[in-house]
Amino acid sequence: MEFTLIKPLFGGFLLGLAALSLLFFNGRVAGVSGILGGFLSFKKRDTLWRFAFLAGLVAGGVLLLATVPETLNFTLTSSPPAVMLAGLLVGIGSRMGSGCTSGHGICGIGRLSKRSMVAAAIFLSSGIASAVTIDLVFGGVI
Amino acid sequence: MSLLMIFLSGVLFALGLGISGMTQPEKVVSFLNVVGEWDSSLIFVMLGASMTYLTGYVFILKRSKPAFAQSFILPTRRDIDPPLIYGSLLFGLGWGLVGFCPGPALVALVTGYDSVLIFLLAMGFGMYAFEVIDSRFKGDPDGGAGLIIKS
């Protein structure tokens, strides 16, 4: 894989800007798992703004596919049970841990929150453990 | 107007995820697989994003309230509790397994791939199930972070 610095940095800048924009207009943290989890709980938790942000993410996907389709050019080689397990772990883990890569990794670290720094250090470590195990023990794909 | 700006924030967030490479799960896995052909570039995504946020949020919080809402609602908890640790641990295991986290998976919905749908359904189920089981979250929407400061 080629190493390019500009795209990750610029993409990261856009992510930060988008998170700032949500804070500026709506006063909320741009944590996707928190926004989605609150939306899925179907209680009266200001569902409308959550839906607007999530719809924006999906619409952004449409825009990406139309303008820079290579950003969504991938093949998931994992088996359906592995994908299902991954989804479950991500869903349960992000709610139990109060956040995911966006809420902890961008907004939390950006606010210099100790909880988020601990969370990010843990999920980066267990993410590495998971990816390395699959490569070394299972030969790359399960 | 308020909802439109929130929607556009979501669109911009998705563009950031796409351009940074986060919407390609193979790239994410090769970033996490440090013993393989390591792709270190994704370090700069988190760096660029959190530094941008760090620079801007101080100025935004100087305002008395958000442009279209009554108050800023931010996590207030400071303690490192077991759910934070074990939850993040589980989250990382799932993330490294196929290379998807919640945001990129939602953005990738447009591909229509079965695997993306399976991931999203399992993730949504996991979130919902956890919420039902853990009564701690019943009065506390955003993941038990203990919200609301600055009103």
Side-chain angles (χ1 to χ4, degrees):
Chain A
M1 294 238 180
E2 59 166 358
F3 177 81
T4 42
L5 194 80
I6 301 300
K7 279 188 203 166
L9 266 180
F10 181 63
F13 170 70
L14 292 184
L15 285 168
L17 218 56
L20 285 174
S21 159
L22 188 68
L23 184 70
F24 177 81
F25 289 112
N26 199 38
R28 305 294 293 236
V29 171
V32 177
S33 60
I35 294 174
L36 180 61
F39 178 73
L40 288 180
S41 69
F42 295 115
K43 286 168 198 149
K44 222 184 166 192
R45 284 176 182 172
D46 33 41
T47 326
L48 211 53
W49 79 264
R50 292 173 192 274
F51 178 76
F53 187 81
L54 297 169
L57 284 182
V58 176
V62 176
L63 194 59
L64 281 171
L65 199 62
T67 54
V68 270
E70 64 271 21
T71 57
L72 284 165
N73 180 22
F74 61 85
T75 38
L76 269 190
T77 41
S78 316
S79 62
V83 174
M84 204 179 283
L85 176 66
L88 274 176
L89 286 170
V90 165
I92 295 170
S94 61
R95 294 304 283 155
M96 188 188 289
S98 308
C100 58
T101 14
S102 50
H104 282 312
I106 299 172
C107 303
I109 290 183
R111 288 185 300 110
L112 304 176
S113 149
K114 205 175 96 188
R115 266 172 71 85
S116 290
M117 289 180 189
V118 170
I122 292 173
F123 66 61
L124 273 170
S125 307
S126 60
I128 288 170
S130 179
V132 167
T133 306
I134 289 163
D135 187 16
L136 296 186
V137 182
F138 299 98
V141 179
I142 60 167
Chain B
M1 184 62 181
S2 156
L3 286 176
L4 178 67
M5 295 320 290
I6 294 168
F7 173 80
L8 291 177
S9 306
V11 173
L12 188 62
F13 201 87
L15 294 184
L17 286 173
I19 289 166
S20 65
M22 290 291 291
T23 48
Q24 293 155 278
E26 295 144 324
K27 201 174 166 66
V28 175
V29 169
S30 66
F31 162 65
L32 292 172
N33 182 11
V34 290
V35 299
E37 208 175 303
W38 190 43
D39 179 355
S40 60
S41 63
L42 293 189
I43 289 178
F44 299 100
V45 181
M46 204 181 271
L47 213 64
S50 54
M51 289 306 115
T52 305
Y53 198 77
L54 178 65
T55 315
Y57 98 98
V58 185
F59 295 102
I60 292 176
L61 288 190
K62 277 182 184 156
R63 299 168 52 92
S64 57
K65 62 190 191 112
F68 298 122
Q70 290 311 306
S71 56
F72 289 103
I73 299 182
L74 297 167
T76 52
R77 281 182 61 177
R78 296 286 174 266
D79 58 312
I80 311 295
D81 61 338
L84 181 83
I85 294 169
Y86 295 123
S88 301
L89 191 81
L90 294 177
F91 170 76
L93 290 178
W95 186 37
L97 194 55
V98 299
F100 264 142
C101 50
L106 274 170
V107 175
L109 181 64
V110 67
T111 61
Y113 294 156
D114 289 348
S115 48
V116 178
L117 277 176
I118 294 172
F119 182 89
L120 282 172
L121 286 174
M123 182 180 85
F125 176 77
M127 286 179 167
Y128 184 73
F130 180 74
E131 192 129 357
V132 169
I133 293 164
D134 195 324
S135 57
R136 191 165 74 94
F137 289 90
K138 289 213 168 95
D140 201 354
D142 290 68
L147 299 168
I148 301 191
I149 54 165
K150 202 169 163 63
S151 48

